[in-house]
Every structure is written in C-alpha cells, then in structure tokens.
Amino acid sequence: MPSGQRAQWKGFLKFGEVSCGVALYTAASTSERITFNTINKATGNRVNRIFVDSETEDPVPKEAQTKGFEIENGQYIIIDPEEVSAAIPESNKTLEIEAFIPCSDVDDVYFDKPYYLTPDKMGGDAFAALRDAMKKSMVAAIARTVLFRRMRTVLIRPHGKGLIASTLNYDYEVRSSEKAFEEMPKLKIQGEMLDLAKHIISTKKGEFDPATFDDRYEAALADLVKAKIEGKSLPKPKKVQVSKPNDLLAALRESAGMMKAAADKPKRTAANANTGTGRPRAARGAAAKSAASKAAPQRKAS
C-alpha cells in the first residue's frame, strides 16, 4: 500500500478459480496544480455558487434539488436520487477477468483513467503469479466490475512490481474518427517534401521520459502569480506563424538544415537535462504560495 495514500476501491481480483484481495490507488493526480477562486472585482471577496430557479430566479437550497431528464424543450421527468441509486448495478466488489488479450489490441482512444492495482497482505502469491504470467505471455486482461457506482470495463497490465488498471470508455462514448477526419482533403506528399519531413523525424528520434517534460502552463501560472504579487509584468509571448502551403517546402528545407546542425552538436544526457532551470512540478504551486506569504506582510504594512 502506498504510504499516505488512501485506496479509491478495495475488493477482489478473480481469474479462473483463483482470487486475491486487491486495492486501487489513483495513478494520476491534479492536486499539485495551481487553482484559482472566483472573486468579486468590486469587493475582492470570494464568490459563492448559488443555484437558482431558471424561471423565478429564486435561490434553490440543496434539500429542494433533485434530478430530471429533459424529454422536450423545457419539459422534464423527475428522477429522485433514491431511484438513481436503485437502478445502479450492485457491486460484489469483484474485479473478474473475462479475457486475456494482446496489449496492442486496445486503441488508446478508449483509455480513461489509470489506477495502481496492489495486493493485500494475504493475496501476494496469487497476485504475483498473475502478474508474472501476464508478463511472460505479453498479454493484458479485460475485467469488469462496479467502480464508483458505475459498471466499468477495465484493462489490466503488468506495471513494475504490480499491475496498472485503466478504466475504458465505452464504444458509444468514443467519437468516430471517420467523422473527425471526413473533411480532410486527400493529399499524397511525395518527392523532396516527403524526404525532408522524414529527415527531420530521423534527427529528432528519442525515447519517452516523462521526467523531461515540463508543464509549461503550470510554470507560466506560477510565474504570473509571482509577478502579480511583486507588481511586475510578464513579457508578451510571440505569435506562432503558421506555414503557408507555398512556403512549406522552404520551411522544411530550413528545418532540415537546423536539425542537422543541432544533431552535430554534443547532446546533453537526460540527467543533465533534468538539472536545468525548469522547476519540479510539485514545487510550482509551492513557489507561488511562498511568494504570496512573503508579500503578505508588505501588503499589511502598506
């Protein structure tokens, strides 16, 4: 069990006639992101959210609110929360594996949220047997259970010492790629243009290392908060120039030349790259808050 982290779900993992106790832990979190509150410009006070009736504009307290399904424009059938709860499939707390499939069979457009799947103290042997067998066979597992009051399909894969379980979107939730690309013209790039594009790709080949990717949006927000506290202004970003069709070949030639020059220079190692000026993700919000705390006494004094 990860220290200090609370399990999102606890139950049993079943494959064949074998079962073991398991727990799901959130693999991705947004808690370290910088968040803003809605403020009244006139008073500087925080704004509270109030639900109002769309016709009378009178406030509606929480106890007077219920669910409704729109059958026509402005016409609703009322569905009480108790009726919603009764319609949800009951959970037997069992993540039952229905099939083992090649890892590449699931298009990543179906991936929803990842969770770490860990065993309890009594089910370690069965868990490890499944994990190692899946690694040797190079397969993933499809399982189904009720998670968070909803029937979910889950893709389970070996991941380090444990397993990672990713909830999957249903087919009706995934939009058609054919419709998304239906207005794209049929173009076939050949000759020098294709060769230059392939050359640029060959000079930029690398490996995926998430530690080297910086969340520039969060970094920019932290810089903005710090600048506002210190009464400074940030430089305006440069506008991106989109390549026009008649300039595309020239842009590709220029890029290919720049890539070749960069490739001839000695590359920094990943370790050196990580020791640059970029701040760690967890420190961005803290940096902004630290700047705010230092500025707080100055505000009171002014």
Side-chain angles (χ1 to χ4, degrees), residues 26-69:
T26 303
S29 173
T30 59
S31 62
E32 292 176 359
R33 291 180 181 173
I34 294 174
T35 57
F36 295 108
N37 295 311
T38 303
I39 305 299
N40 183 342
K41 284 186 177 181
T43 64
N45 299 327
R46 184 175 175 176
V47 174
N48 292 325
R49 179 179 294 177
I50 300 174
F51 289 90
V52 299
D53 188 292
S54 61
E55 295 294 331
T56 66
E57 297 186 355
D58 294 331
V60 181
K62 188 175 181 179
E63 60 272 15
Q65 299 172 20
T66 189
K67 301 292 182 182
F69 180 82

Side-chain angles (χ1 to χ4, degrees), residues 201-209 267:
I201 291 172
S202 68
T203 58
K204 293 289 287 183
K205 282 184 178 178
E207 295 180 356
F208 176 69
D209 180 2
K267 295 181 179 179

